[in-house]
Amino acid sequence: MTSVGPDMRSIFQATFLAILISMGCAASALRVGTPPSQLRLENGSILYAELTKTVDAKKAKAGDPVKAVLVFDVLAHGKIVLRHDSKLLGHVTEAQIHSKDSPESRLGIVFDKVITRDGEVPFESKLLAIRPAERPAFDVPQGPSPMSNSAQAPMQGNYPSPQGGGSSAPRRTNPSLRDTMNSRDREIAQSGPTDIDGLSLSSGANGGQTIVSTQRTVKLDSGVKVELRVTGP
């Protein structure tokens, strides 16, 4: 019987090792080359979010990051495409303080990315409305009171109930894809784009919406609600 010498065993071992390495590299390349499912937000989708960090025109400059978190799920064709608590990323487009020489303070912000498990997904959006941060509700003692019933009721959130129902419990479902955009425009026209005292929305130089005040320097505290409309991928 022919014996295999040490040199032949070394050659077999090296060849076998090379085959294993090549197979591992091929499998790794195949995994890396498979792109994750791409999320696309439908044009017209409404995103309800909450700022997670204060943005102050006195300190901010163009390009500074702006962060928010979704407070409602986002639906498309009856399926949830974005969960509440998903993070939104944006940036400051312009910042101008209030002064004697420049009485109009301006703060432009735009959101253009959402964080998912697969990474960052870009999108284009327009700022529709801003609402004040929710204040804590206090229980009112029962019994005679000179206050009206409306004054005794706990303070409610600033967003309409997604289902339009009578339950006061928060519902985390975005109703935008079940309502027409024209209906939402009418609601904003009635309530105004903001009920934060002294602030208003104006068209910015880049076509986006800018928060404006002629009374003070614009400052959006953490917790302020923002309403966005998706305008493109």
Side-chain angles (χ1 to χ4, degrees):
M1 186 173 181
T2 304
S3 62
V4 178
D7 292 340
M8 291 298 295
R9 284 198 297 268
S10 298
I11 293 174
F12 290 153
Q13 290 173 354
T15 303
F16 183 68
L17 182 61
I19 292 173
L20 289 178
I21 292 175
S22 62
M23 290 177 62
C25 292
S28 176
L30 184 61
R31 287 195 299 269
V32 173
T34 303
S37 58
Q38 293 295 317
L39 169 67
R40 290 180 62 88
L41 296 178
E42 289 190 347
N43 287 357
S45 296
I46 305 297
L47 309 182
Y48 297 99
E50 178 180 290
L51 295 182
T52 56
K53 187 177 181 181
T54 297
V55 186
D56 190 344
K58 186 177 181 179
K59 303 176 181 179
K61 62 183 182 297
D64 283 354
V66 181
K67 298 181 180 180
V69 61
L70 286 177
V71 296
F72 291 122
D73 293 336
V74 179
L75 300 179
H77 305 292
K79 296 182 179 179
I80 296 176
V81 294
L82 281 181
R83 296 282 183 180
H84 68 274
D85 294 337
S86 296
K87 296 178 181 178
L88 297 182
L89 298 180
H91 61 273
V92 175
T93 58
E94 62 174 310
Q96 173 66 48
I97 65 171
H98 170 79
S99 66
K100 284 186 177 181
D101 296 332
S102 300
E104 183 180 79
S105 174
R106 299 175 66 86
L107 178 63
I109 60 174
V110 62
F111 288 92
D112 49 17
K113 292 179 183 178
V114 60
I115 303 298
T116 70
R117 294 178 180 178
D118 294 330
E120 297 181 355
V121 178
F123 68 97
E124 296 178 2
S125 67
K126 177 181 179 181
L127 180 63
L128 293 182
I130 56 175
R131 307 295 178 198
E134 293 182 359
R135 299 177 182 177
F138 298 93
D139 292 332
V140 178
Q142 300 295 326
S145 171
M147 294 189 298
S148 66
N149 291 334
S150 60
Q152 295 181 34
M155 288 179 286
Q156 302 296 322
N158 296 294
Y159 286 132
S161 171
Q163 303 296 335
S167 173
S168 59
R171 302 291 295 277
R172 295 186 178 276
T173 302
N174 187 337
S176 61
L177 297 183
R178 278 171 274 165
D179 299 329
T180 64
M181 289 187 291
N182 290 335
S183 175
R184 187 67 193 125
D185 288 339
R186 287 194 296 270
E187 292 177 16
I188 294 176
Q190 292 174 359
S191 62
T194 174
D195 48 9
I196 301 179
D197 185 42
L199 300 186
S200 61
L201 290 184
S202 176
S203 297
N206 58 354
Q209 293 294 94
T210 300
I211 302 121
V212 176
S213 175
T214 57
Q215 303 177 14
R216 63 180 185 274
T217 296
V218 177
K219 179 181 178 181
L220 300 180
D221 293 320
S222 175
V224 163
K225 313 295 185 184
V226 294
E227 184 175 336
L228 311 169
R229 173 179 291 160
V230 176
T231 58

